[in-house]
Structures are given as C-alpha cells and as structure tokens.
Amino acid sequence: MAVEVKVFRSWGNPFSYRVELALRLKGVAYEHIEEDLSNKSTLLLDYNPVHKKVPVLLHHGKPIAESLLILEYIEETWQENPILPKDPRERAVARFWCRFLDDKCLVALWMSCWTEGETQQNFMEQAKECLHLLEEELKGKKFFGGDSIGMVDIAASSIAHWLGVLEEVAGISLLDEEKYPNLCKWTEEFLKSDAVMECLPKRANLLALFQTRKQAISSVK
C-alpha cells in the first residue's frame, strides 16, 4: 500500500524538520524524500513551482508548500494531539508568534552568524531584541503552547537545536542563560521530547555541515 503522506526535505534544513516533528507529534506515518538543493528534482519543481524549495508535504498526491502553512494543514487534517489551542484568540496569538519568528527573529539570528563587522553587530542587536521578546512570552510557561509542545514551539525549533551550532561556527554568543533563562529552560524541555529527538539531525553532523559552508564562503573572499 502506497504511503499517503510524503515530505520533501533537505537534510539539516530546519523548516523541513518542522513538518516532520508535527507529523510525529500527531502520530502520522510518512515517507521523507531527500532533496539535493544544488540539483533540485523535477518532482520538487513541479510540486513547488513558485518558490522551488523545501519543505513540501504531499498528501494523497496533492502538494502543500511553505512550512507554516503545512503546519496549519496538518493541524486541520489530523486533529489528534492538537498543536494549536481551541480558543480563537489564543490561536491568533500563536499564529502571530509563528510569523514573528519567520519574518523577524530567525532572519536576525541567521544573519548574525553569517555576516561580519558592523553589519553583524546590527543583526546581533536585532536578534537579542527578538530573544528578549520570546523570553517575556515564555514567563510562567513550560512551552510556548503551555504544558505541551505546540505550533510556536515547532516554529522555534531552530532556536533550540540549530542556533547553538551556528553560534559555535560564527564564534559569537546570542542565547545567554543569564539573560534568557526562560528560553534556555524551554530549550532543555523541548529537547527532552522523544518525538523531537527522534527526528532532529545530530548536532555533530550539523556542526560539520555549517563549518564546511563557512570555510567555502571564507575561501572565496
């Protein structure tokens, strides 16, 4: 019997792992299809002709692109183990923080690790402002979603697992335990989850991947 759910992903891509984590939390069986982003498959280009990137969720042969939209689709299609609250206002607040992460926070964090000089300092200031806002949002909570992992936690997974690797590669410090105790505690709790650890890439392998990228960038300067 053919698998009805497939995920087009790229190893080490945090947006791909959002989709896989949501499916695992829901208990949905799926097949992952690995994409080489330097040589994208015809299938990926057919399924996501606008952005031509991962992740893409394929359900009954029909594609959905963009990780946050895929998370919404997963929530609406498989209602077990909800990742969004029932209350309409709380759902809207969760969506707000997801958009904040993608539109502002993750951009600042990423660019802090891949720029230099004054440009890097500016991005680091933006990143710290974003981390402060997330720190305040976590006050009194185990997860952004309350007592269990929700959509905002999934959207923030790159902070829990990828950020420390990127900080090491870049030789900078952003997520300081003294300044952001709630975020650091959240990271610990998030990474304790079996569903999270089952699908996250190994840290050592991620470190090797990004060190190689850093060396490649440095060699062409």
Side-chain angles (χ1 to χ4, degrees):
M1 184 176 177
V3 178
E4 67 174 29
V5 179
K6 298 181 181 181
V7 178
F8 286 77
R9 73 171 199 185
S10 176
W11 189 91
N13 179 291
F15 300 100
S16 300
Y17 285 93
R18 286 176 172 180
V19 176
E20 294 193 64
L21 176 54
L23 291 171
R24 285 176 179 269
L25 289 170
K26 294 281 188 180
V28 178
Y30 67 94
E31 174 189 347
H32 75 254
I33 299 170
E34 201 69 34
E35 281 288 332
D36 177 359
L37 297 185
S38 64
N39 183 26
K40 297 172 184 176
S41 71
T42 302
L43 277 178
L44 177 64
L45 299 178
D46 285 345
Y47 288 139
N48 191 3
V50 176
H51 296 298
K52 302 179 174 64
K53 63 183 183 181
V54 294
V56 171
L57 179 78
L58 200 66
H59 186 212
H60 293 308
K62 296 181 179 179
I64 303 98
E66 298 295 304
S67 64
L68 292 183
L69 298 180
I70 296 171
L71 294 183
E72 293 264 9
Y73 178 85
I74 290 171
E75 174 72 347
E76 292 173 8
T77 304
W78 295 281
Q79 295 180 3
E80 305 84 357
N81 304 319
I83 57 174
L84 278 173
K86 290 183 179 180
D87 179 77
R89 183 189 175 277
E90 290 179 6
R91 290 170 79 91
V93 169
R95 291 183 176 110
F96 168 84
W97 286 110
C98 287
R99 292 308 327 172
F100 168 77
L101 282 158
D102 272 15
D103 294 344
K104 191 168 184 179
C105 187
L106 298 184
V107 174
L109 291 169
W110 177 262
M111 294 303 293
S112 295
C113 298
W114 295 99
T115 53
E116 296 177 347
E118 187 177 346
T119 301
Q120 183 183 49
Q121 290 303 313
N122 289 336
F123 277 119
M124 287 180 69
E125 286 305 313
Q126 293 175 36
K128 289 174 182 178
E129 288 175 12
C130 292
L131 292 175
H132 175 73
L133 291 170
L134 293 174
E135 174 74 10
E136 291 297 306
E137 178 62 17
L138 272 170
K139 275 187 177 177
K141 300 178 185 177
K142 183 177 181 180
F143 298 108
F144 288 100
D147 293 328
S148 59
I149 291 173
M151 189 167 166
V152 182
D153 302 284
I154 296 169
S157 58
S158 54
I159 294 176
H161 191 59
W162 276 260
L163 179 56
V165 172
L166 292 171
E167 287 177 306
E168 184 172 341
V169 171
I172 63 173
S173 176
L174 292 167
L175 188 56
D176 182 279
E177 188 171 3
E178 187 174 330
K179 292 180 180 177
Y180 311 111
N182 296 329
L183 264 174
C184 290
K185 181 63 176 174
W186 166 80
T187 295
E188 281 183 33
E189 294 294 338
F190 184 76
L191 295 178
K192 283 180 185 177
S193 163
D194 290 339
V196 170
M197 293 311 298
E198 283 169 5
C199 69
L200 286 179
K202 293 188 182 301
R203 190 185 191 280
N205 295 345
L206 269 185
L207 182 61
L209 172 69
F210 288 119
Q211 283 175 332
T212 300
R213 288 187 186 177
K214 185 78 169 181
Q215 290 165 4
I217 292 170
S218 299
S219 68
V220 297
K221 287 183 179 178

